[in-house]
Amino acid sequence: MNLTVLAASGRTGNALTRQALERGHTVTAIARDPGRIDLDHPNLRKVAGDVSDPASIAAVVDADSVVLSGLGTDARGLFSTAPRRSSPPGRGASSGSAPTARVRPPTLRVRAPACSGR
């Protein structure tokens, strides 16, 4: 299976990428800085892309890909697509006044394949 992992250099994206490779999948790992993806594997392709720039993601994802997201959340547990910026000492990144896009994660429903016999 061809998998594309968003935010592959982060903790969650790295774990998704590693597990997919261990299971024999071909993985395209997308990160703003692909050099931060600390995995090497013959089935791994590291690509620069930023989820806040849809064109950079669309250029990598093809019709046969399954996209997995390793995107993190802000302090309230909501997805944030605002550009990262440094915070003054003692203040959290979410304490600024920059607007952020908030997206609720979809509910994932997994269906087991039907058995054709015993």
Side-chain angles (χ1 to χ4, degrees), residues 19-41:
Q19 289 178 31
L21 291 169
E22 288 172 357
R23 293 176 181 175
H25 299 293
T26 300
V27 178
T28 300
I30 300 176
R32 284 181 295 207
D33 179 3
R36 293 187 57 211
I37 301 169
D38 62 354
L39 298 169
D40 287 309
H41 193 280

Side-chain angles (χ1 to χ4, degrees), residues 17-85:
T17 302
R18 181 180 41 75
Q19 289 178 31
L21 291 169
E22 288 172 357
R23 293 176 181 175
H25 299 293
T26 300
V27 178
T28 300
I30 300 176
R32 284 181 295 207
D33 179 3
R36 293 187 57 211
I37 301 169
D38 62 354
L39 298 169
D40 287 309
H41 193 280
N43 291 341
L44 176 63
R45 180 172 68 129
K46 301 175 187 180
V47 178
D50 189 335
V51 296
S52 64
D53 175 17
S56 72
I57 303 302
V60 177
V61 177
D62 60 31
D64 296 332
S65 292
V66 174
V67 179
L68 304 172
S69 175
L71 294 171
T73 60
D74 64 12
R76 295 174 300 256
L78 301 172
F79 288 105
S80 175
T81 59
R84 291 189 183 190
R85 58 188 169 87

